[in-house]
């Protein structure tokens, strides 16, 4: 519209001096557009009335006698009315435009205050466009070392209610100095780290109310953190447990317990599987036919002895130098268990010999897969005839108590060759009379139990295991912070408590809304793509239209009363982590029975990516943990980060269908890459100019995910115009600035991303009027050649 001087004056008068910059891309809807003054019907009516008054005054003698100033007053009043009316329209127009462009109520929640501080200390892509986007996912800025240091700063949690506000303030004050040092460099962390930080905040909160089950989970967590008490206890808790199990020949006190009885006990109460692994899973052959029944799965064990696969002989073997290192670690374990030197040598040798014999029959997964050795079905009765040394029915009944297993129930084998070879090895060692007093099989089971319980023992044991790993060349293992280790251990036994706590704190309505809006925008994106033919488009759309996206909340979320009943027999000690850990193993085993008996899919509390189940697209609650998502954030922030991640997950799930039916994956991926090469001037530097097919896919996925999230956000503004903001940013500015916080480590596909995701803002803004400012750099003379992708 054309602006008159009056309109320009009104525009200046109604806009505050500290307002954010307007966005060029969000134009006011037609309802608020000002029409031309001469075309307004009210103005025409008033003009006609004016003409009638003039005509009447000319024909009426009384009017002719009136002074001239009366006519001027009437004209002045009419003009004043017209001006006020126009000013009102202009005022409402600019107010509506301001609502569209981000002059909104600031968000002042504790979560927004933290987000505002974090955003203000980060580089703004619209103030430093020439330098900010030139990093790649493999640059030093995102090397494992630097990323580890940044992650180590910690992410403060966000309160979900007024009760936690004091906790927030207290923690913010305590950690302010440390956080300020790393806040300016810290980017949005990978989703697993974010969720673990959030669970840590919940467990460490000052809120001591809640169910007894929740308090037991907290006490377990804190007992895990108490490394001083753990180290002080030393090996004594383990040695006491061995005496309860019938003693040990190494110590000179052993009551010659029955082999299968001891094995069943270890499997049932201590989740220890020395000779074979047992877990629960589905049969992929039945999944293909639409069936989802679960079966007991029997696999080769996690061997303690280090072995290598010989591709020529197609057998496992151990090298002499690795065996020497392994023997040294065994000796150290026995020393820590206060085994006399005279017994140490004998039992070490027997343990090494038995371990080597079992290892020869084992094979790596890739070999077993090529040989068709996975998911071989047979009944427990048939398995008993194949490997008679093990009491299969008795052992499995112990593990899955109280389920009524019979010998006719079927199990799935993943290395039948190993199981068949294992049985005669065990029989030979059982029948060696000269070894009856030394009990090598019992020692083998005890040392496997030691490795199971090692996380609950003092640091000397774990240090010995780490030294062995380093000696064998495993130098890539990162040190896991103690709190993170304790969170993972607590979840193993108290997963239902964690699910309850997450369910209490998840903003279900807001999460469901963003899921539905992103999925709707995703479907719109499919309509905009170029497809091979109409049949291909209909094939993909039929599959997409059949999907029902929703937050993954199952009937398994227990109430506080149900949780208290479930954990009523669990006793947690404040200062004995070993005692607590033994109970955890028993709880963990009960989860296997539950999985097998209920035959229903239970949401994994630590799951972070959506899954397809039949026609449902399920999004775990753990995805919506602060600071990636918060119900009090401006929607611009939630859509920029969580909306982008949701869209990216959906695209990855359905990528095979889209990639095979549309050329846009290749075309758009190359277009974005051309932008990157042009802006960074890498064409002239002789850098790599081509992307692999996998890299093209990932670039397309992330660029499309950004477009989908931005479209969904604009649609939400259209449906619900009100939004809050932080840092004085307008809507789209806040969206894009928040998105710039997402980094390469936010998903498992980051290795395929050849550029930092925030560079995609440059591509969005290249030929778009959505961005609040121009991102072109004067030094980049080639930027005028950029095309819209």
């Amino acid at each position: 519209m054309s602006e008159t001087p009056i309109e320009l004056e009104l525009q200046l008068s109604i806009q505050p001096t500290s307002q954010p910059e307007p966005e060029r891309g969000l134009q006011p809807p037609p309802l608020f557009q000002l029409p031309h003054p001469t075309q307004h019907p009210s103005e025409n009516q008033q003009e006609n009335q004016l003409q009638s008054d003039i005509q009447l005054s000319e024909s009426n003698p009384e009017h002719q006698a009136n002074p001239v100033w009366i006519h001027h007053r009437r004209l002045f009043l009419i003009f004043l009315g017209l001006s006020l009316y126009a000013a009102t329209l202009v005022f409402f127009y600019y107010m509506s435009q301001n609502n569209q462009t981000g002059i909104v109520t600031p968000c002042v929640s504790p979560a927004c205050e933290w987000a505002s501080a974090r955003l203000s200390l980060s580089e703004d892509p619209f103030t430093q466009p020439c330098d900010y986007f030139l990093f790649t996912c493999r640059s030093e800025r995102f090397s494992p070392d630097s990323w580890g240091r940044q992650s180590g700063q910690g992410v403060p949690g966000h309160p979900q209610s007024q009760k936690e506000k004091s906790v927030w303030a207290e923690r913010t004050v305590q950690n302010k100095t440390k956080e300020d040092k790393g806040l300016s460099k810290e980017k949005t962390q990978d989703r697993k780290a974010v969720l673990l930080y959030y669970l840590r905040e919940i467990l460490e909160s000052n809120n001591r109310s809640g169910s007894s089950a929740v308090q037991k989970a907290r006490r377990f967590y804190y007992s895990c953190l108490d490394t001083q008490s753990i180290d002080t206890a030393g090996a004594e808790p383990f040695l006491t447990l061995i005496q309860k199990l019938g003693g040990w020949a190494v110590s000179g006190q052993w009551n010659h317990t029955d082999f299968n009885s001891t094995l069943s006990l270890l499997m049932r109460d201590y989740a220890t599987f020395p000779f074979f692994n047992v877990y629960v899973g589905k049969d992929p052959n039945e999944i293909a036919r639409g069936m989802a029944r679960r079966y007991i799965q029997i696999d080769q064990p996690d061997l303690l002895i280090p072995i290598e696969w010989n591709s020529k002989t197609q057998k496992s073997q151990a090298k002499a130098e690795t065996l020497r290192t392994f023997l040294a670690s065994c000796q150290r374990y026995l020393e820590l268990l206060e085994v006399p030197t005279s017994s140490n040598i004998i039992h070490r040798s027997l343990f090494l010999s038995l371990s080597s014999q079992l290892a020869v029959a084992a094979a790596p997964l890739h070999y077993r897969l090529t040989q068709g050795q996975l998911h071989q079905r047979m009944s427990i009765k048939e398995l008993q005839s194949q490997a008679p040394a093990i009491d299969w029915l008795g052992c499995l009944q112990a593990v899955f108590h109280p389920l009524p297993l019979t010998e006719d129930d079927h199990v799935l084998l993943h290395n039948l060759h190993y199981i068949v070879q294992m049985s005669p090895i065990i029989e030979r060692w059982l029948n060696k009379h000269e070894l009856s007093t030394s009990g090598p099989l019992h020692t083998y089971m005890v040392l496997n139990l030691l490795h199971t319980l090692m996380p609950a023992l003092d640091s000397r044991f774990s240090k010995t295991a780490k030294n062995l790993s380093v000696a064998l060349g495993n130098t890539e293992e990162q040190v896991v912070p103690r709190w993170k280790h304790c969170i993972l251990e607590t979840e193993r036994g108290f997963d239902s408590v964690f699910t309850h706590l997450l369910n209490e704190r998840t903003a279900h309505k807001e999460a469901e809304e963003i899921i539905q809006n992103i999925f709707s925008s995703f479907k719109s994106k499919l309509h905009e793509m170029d497809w091979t033919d109409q049949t291909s488009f209909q094939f993909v759309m039929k599959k997409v239209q059949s999907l029902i996206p929703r937050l993954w909340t199952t009937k398994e979320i227990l109430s506080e009363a149900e949780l208290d009943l479930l954990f009523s027999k669990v006793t947690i000690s404040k200062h004995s982590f070993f005692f607590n850990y033994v109970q955890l193993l028993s709880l963990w085993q009960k989860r296997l029975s539950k999985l097998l008996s209920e035959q229903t899919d239970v949401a994994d509390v630590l799951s972070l990516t959506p899954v397809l189940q039949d026609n449902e697209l399920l999004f775990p609650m753990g995805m919506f943990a602060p600071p990636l998502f918060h119900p009090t954030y401006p929607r611009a922030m939630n859509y920029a980060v969580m909306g982008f991640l949701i869209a990216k997950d959906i695209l990855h799930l359905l990528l095979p269908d889209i990639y095979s039916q549309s050329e846009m994956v290749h075309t758009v991926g190359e277009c974005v890459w051309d932008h990157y090469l042009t802006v960074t001037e890498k064409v002239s530097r002789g850098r790599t100019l081509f992307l692999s097919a996998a890299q093209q896919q990932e670039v397309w996925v992330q660029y499309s995910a950004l477009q989908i999230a931005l479209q969904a956000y604009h649609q939400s503004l259209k449906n619900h115009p009100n939004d809050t903001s932080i840092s004085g940013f307008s809507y789209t500015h806040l969206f894009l600035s928040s998105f710039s916080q997402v980094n390469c480590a936010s998903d498992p596909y980051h290795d395929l991303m050849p550029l930092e995701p925030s560079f995609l803002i440059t591509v969005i803004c290249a030929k778009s009027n959505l961005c609040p400012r121009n991102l072109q750099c004067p030094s980049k003379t080639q930027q005028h050649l950029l095309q819209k992708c």
Side-chain angles (χ1 to χ4, degrees):
M1 65 176 242
S2 59
E3 294 182 328
T4 65
I6 294 177
E7 291 169 337
L8 290 175
E9 184 178 350
L10 287 170
Q11 177 184 1
L12 293 174
S13 66
I14 65 172
Q15 294 200 10
T17 56
S18 60
Q19 70 179 23
E21 71 282 354
E23 296 177 6
R24 296 168 294 171
L26 292 173
Q27 297 298 327
L31 179 63
F32 298 102
Q33 299 256 353
L34 276 175
H36 194 278
T38 61
Q39 296 176 350
H40 200 286
S42 300
E43 295 174 23
N44 292 336
Q45 182 179 357
Q46 292 178 355
E47 289 177 1
N48 293 335
Q49 180 65 39
L50 176 61
Q51 292 175 0
S52 300
D53 291 342
I54 294 174
Q55 291 172 358
L56 285 173
S57 66
E58 291 176 349
S59 61
N60 192 329
E62 295 180 7
H63 286 284
Q64 292 177 359
N66 290 334
V68 176
W69 67 269
I70 296 178
H71 296 285
H72 287 248
R73 182 180 65 179
R74 183 180 291 111
L75 290 172
F76 175 76
L77 291 175
I78 293 172
F79 176 77
L80 180 62
L82 289 171
S83 299
L84 291 174
Y85 182 78
T88 302
L89 289 178
V90 171
F91 175 77
F92 281 111
Y93 163 70
Y94 280 106
M95 287 300 292
S96 65
Q97 186 183 45
N98 289 341
N99 283 337
Q100 291 288 332
T101 57
I103 300 178
V104 288
T105 304
C107 179
V108 294
S109 70
C112 285
E113 290 176 359
W114 179 85
S116 178
R118 184 171 180 269
L119 196 62
S120 65
L121 292 177
S122 303
E123 301 97 328
D124 183 0
F126 298 101
T127 58
Q128 298 178 339
C130 303
D131 303 320
Y132 187 70
F133 302 106
L134 307 187
F135 297 97
T136 69
C137 286
R138 296 182 179 88
S139 66
E140 289 186 3
R141 181 179 180 182
F142 294 103
S143 65
D145 292 338
S146 64
W147 179 239
R149 288 193 296 271
Q150 293 166 16
S151 300
Q153 299 297 331
V155 176
H158 300 293
Q160 297 284 343
S161 64
Q162 291 299 318
K163 293 180 181 179
E164 294 177 341
K165 191 169 184 179
S166 59
V167 179
W168 171 283
E170 178 183 353
R171 187 174 299 278
T172 301
V173 171
Q174 291 174 350
N175 297 331
K176 186 180 188 321
T177 303
K178 182 174 70 172
E179 288 174 3
D180 285 348
K181 294 179 181 179
L183 200 57
S184 60
K185 294 183 179 180
E186 183 181 328
K187 304 275 284 183
T188 298
Q189 301 180 50
D190 66 272
R191 286 183 267 184
K192 183 64 173 289
V194 166
L195 178 57
L196 293 179
Y197 271 117
Y198 184 49
L199 293 173
R200 177 191 184 184
E201 287 292 332
I202 294 175
L203 291 180
E204 294 183 1
S205 68
N206 293 331
N207 182 12
R208 295 303 175 190
S209 61
S211 69
S212 63
V214 173
Q215 298 307 322
K216 288 176 181 179
R218 282 198 171 105
R219 285 200 297 272
F220 180 92
Y221 170 72
Y222 279 111
S223 70
C224 177
L225 291 177
D226 186 7
T227 54
Q228 181 177 356
S229 296
I230 296 173
D231 286 343
T232 300
E236 187 60 33
F238 182 76
L239 294 174
T240 302
L241 176 63
I242 295 303
Q243 293 305 313
K244 292 181 180 180
L245 296 177
W248 188 14
V250 173
S251 62
Q253 297 179 353
W254 178 44
N255 61 8
H256 296 269
T257 52
D258 176 70
F259 166 76
N260 275 294
S261 297
T262 303
L263 179 60
S264 298
L265 185 63
L266 294 182
M267 295 169 64
R268 183 191 68 192
D269 294 339
Y270 305 102
T272 300
F273 304 91
F275 302 101
F276 52 88
N277 264 329
V278 176
Y279 55 93
V280 174
K282 298 178 182 179
D283 185 348
N285 297 319
E286 290 188 349
I287 294 176
R289 299 195 300 268
M291 301 174 65
R293 182 182 175 185
R294 288 193 178 89
Y295 294 90
I296 296 174
Q297 317 262 329
I298 298 177
D299 202 348
Q300 64 186 34
D302 299 320
L303 297 166
L304 302 181
I305 187 172
I307 57 174
E308 296 180 3
W309 179 252
N310 190 320
S311 56
K312 293 182 178 180
T313 62
Q314 299 292 287
K315 290 184 178 181
S316 295
Q317 62 183 23
K319 294 183 178 180
E321 54 270 23
T322 59
L323 289 180
R324 283 193 291 268
T325 305
F326 176 64
L327 269 176
S329 67
C330 293
Q331 178 178 348
R332 177 57 178 162
Y333 290 136
L334 294 176
E335 290 173 353
L336 294 175
L337 294 175
E338 302 175 359
V339 174
T341 305
S342 57
S343 300
N344 193 320
I345 299 175
I346 299 174
H347 289 281
R348 264 193 301 135
S349 302
L350 294 175
F351 177 71
L352 176 62
S353 178
L354 177 56
S355 299
S356 301
Q357 292 181 26
L358 291 172
V360 172
L365 179 61
H366 67 84
Y367 175 78
R368 287 180 283 152
L369 185 62
T370 59
Q371 298 299 311
Q373 295 181 353
L374 303 182
H375 300 96
Q376 293 180 271
R377 182 193 300 263
M378 65 175 56
S379 67
I380 297 177
K381 183 178 181 180
E382 292 172 329
L383 178 59
Q384 188 66 55
S385 64
Q386 294 275 0
I390 304 293
D391 176 14
W392 291 102
L393 183 59
C395 287
L396 295 178
Q397 285 177 336
V399 172
F400 294 98
H401 178 78
L403 296 184
L405 294 179
T406 68
E407 61 181 9
D408 294 325
D409 287 321
H410 282 198
V411 296
L412 300 181
L413 279 296
H414 295 278
N415 190 346
L416 181 59
H417 173 74
Y418 168 84
I419 298 297
V420 171
Q421 295 295 314
M422 171 197 67
S423 181
I425 293 174
I426 291 176
E427 288 178 338
R428 285 197 299 269
W429 284 82
L430 281 174
N431 295 328
K432 288 185 177 180
H433 297 289
E434 66 275 14
L435 299 177
S436 58
T437 57
S438 58
L441 288 171
H442 187 75
T443 296
Y444 185 86
M445 290 189 284
V446 167
L447 290 180
N448 273 268
L449 177 62
L450 174 66
H451 276 76
T452 300
L453 294 171
M454 199 173 291
L457 292 171
D458 74 80
S459 56
R460 296 175 300 170
F461 288 92
S462 56
K463 185 177 180 180
T464 301
K466 182 179 179 181
N467 290 341
L468 173 62
S469 180
V470 171
L472 295 176
N474 301 323
T475 57
E476 297 181 358
E477 293 183 9
Q478 296 183 353
V479 178
V480 178
R482 183 67 187 181
W483 70 264
K484 186 177 294 186
H485 167 80
C486 292
I487 289 288
L488 295 173
E489 293 293 358
T490 306
E491 188 275 334
R492 290 180 64 192
F494 295 90
D495 62 311
S496 54
V497 174
F498 276 30
T499 301
H500 169 78
L501 292 172
L502 273 184
N503 182 62
E504 272 193 331
R505 288 160 175 77
T506 299
H508 291 254
K509 179 182 177 181
E510 290 82 359
E512 286 282 7
E513 179 181 337
I514 195 171
I515 289 172
Q516 298 298 331
N517 290 345
I518 291 295
F519 192 70
S520 176
S521 180
F522 161 70
K523 290 190 290 187
S524 299
K525 180 69 175 177
L526 295 181
H527 283 277
E528 299 170 3
M529 295 178 60
D530 294 329
W531 297 90
T532 306
D533 51 50
Q534 190 64 20
T535 303
S536 302
F537 171 69
Q538 292 176 352
F539 168 79
V540 175
M541 287 306 300
K542 182 179 180 180
K543 180 176 182 179
V544 171
Q545 295 289 2
S546 67
L547 297 177
I548 303 173
R550 68 173 179 86
L551 188 66
W552 196 357
T553 54
T554 68
K555 297 180 181 179
E556 296 304 317
I557 300 177
L558 304 179
S559 65
E560 288 190 353
E562 291 171 325
L563 285 173
D564 291 346
L565 179 61
L566 180 64
F567 292 94
S568 59
K569 296 182 179 180
V570 177
T571 304
I572 301 298
S573 170
K574 290 184 178 180
H575 303 294
S576 179
F577 180 56
F578 185 88
F579 172 77
N580 297 339
Y581 195 81
V582 169
Q583 291 187 86
L584 177 145
L585 295 177
S586 180
L587 291 172
W588 186 70
Q589 275 307 113
K590 290 178 181 178
R591 291 170 65 177
L592 284 181
S593 300
K594 188 175 182 180
L595 276 176
L596 186 63
S597 62
E598 297 186 355
Q599 296 291 330
T600 56
D601 290 308
V602 179
D604 180 3
V605 68
L606 296 182
S607 178
L608 294 162
T609 55
V611 296
L612 282 171
Q613 282 188 8
D614 299 326
N615 67 329
E616 289 189 314
L617 183 56
L618 304 175
F619 294 83
M621 290 186 295
M623 293 178 61
F624 300 91
L628 296 182
F629 179 85
H630 198 277
T632 68
Y633 280 165
R635 279 179 290 154
M637 294 187 65
N638 281 333
Y639 276 85
V641 179
M642 184 50 58
F644 168 75
L645 296 176
I646 291 173
K648 190 164 55 170
D649 288 336
I650 294 174
L651 289 168
H652 275 301
L653 277 174
L654 301 175
L655 181 61
D657 292 330
I658 299 174
Y659 183 71
S660 62
Q661 307 292 345
S662 175
E663 289 292 330
M664 285 195 69
V665 176
H666 167 79
T667 304
V668 174
E670 284 297 324
C671 179
V672 174
W673 183 240
D674 287 342
H675 271 252
Y676 181 74
L677 295 177
T678 301
V679 171
T680 58
E681 296 182 343
K682 290 190 175 182
V683 176
S684 60
R685 300 179 189 178
R687 300 291 185 92
T688 302
L689 305 182
F690 301 102
L691 296 180
S692 66
Q695 289 175 318
Q696 289 176 3
Q697 289 181 21
E698 188 59 27
V699 170
W700 174 81
V701 163
Q702 300 210 20
Y703 181 60
S704 299
L706 175 58
Q707 291 178 312
I708 290 169
L710 185 57
Q711 178 184 342
Y713 175 60
H714 283 165
Q715 185 62 39
S716 75
L717 279 180
K718 182 178 179 181
N719 297 334
H720 308 284
N722 296 326
D723 193 10
T724 56
S725 185
I726 63 172
S727 302
F729 286 165
S730 56
Y731 286 150
T732 305
H733 190 167
L734 178 58
F735 177 96
L736 295 173
S737 296
S738 299
F739 170 75
S740 70
Q741 301 296 302
V742 179
N743 64 31
C744 306
S746 60
D747 67 76
Y749 299 92
H750 69 271
D751 288 338
L752 298 175
M753 189 65 174
L755 46 89
E756 186 180 354
S758 58
F759 176 80
L760 301 174
I761 299 175
T762 304
V763 188
I764 288 285
C765 296
K767 297 290 182 180
S768 171
N769 60 351
L770 293 173
C771 300
R773 295 180 187 175
N774 198 317
L775 283 177
Q776 292 191 5
C777 302
S779 61
K780 307 296 185 225
T781 57
Q782 296 175 312
Q783 280 199 332
H784 68 280
L785 301 175
L786 296 179
Q787 300 298 318
K788 184 177 181 180
C789 295

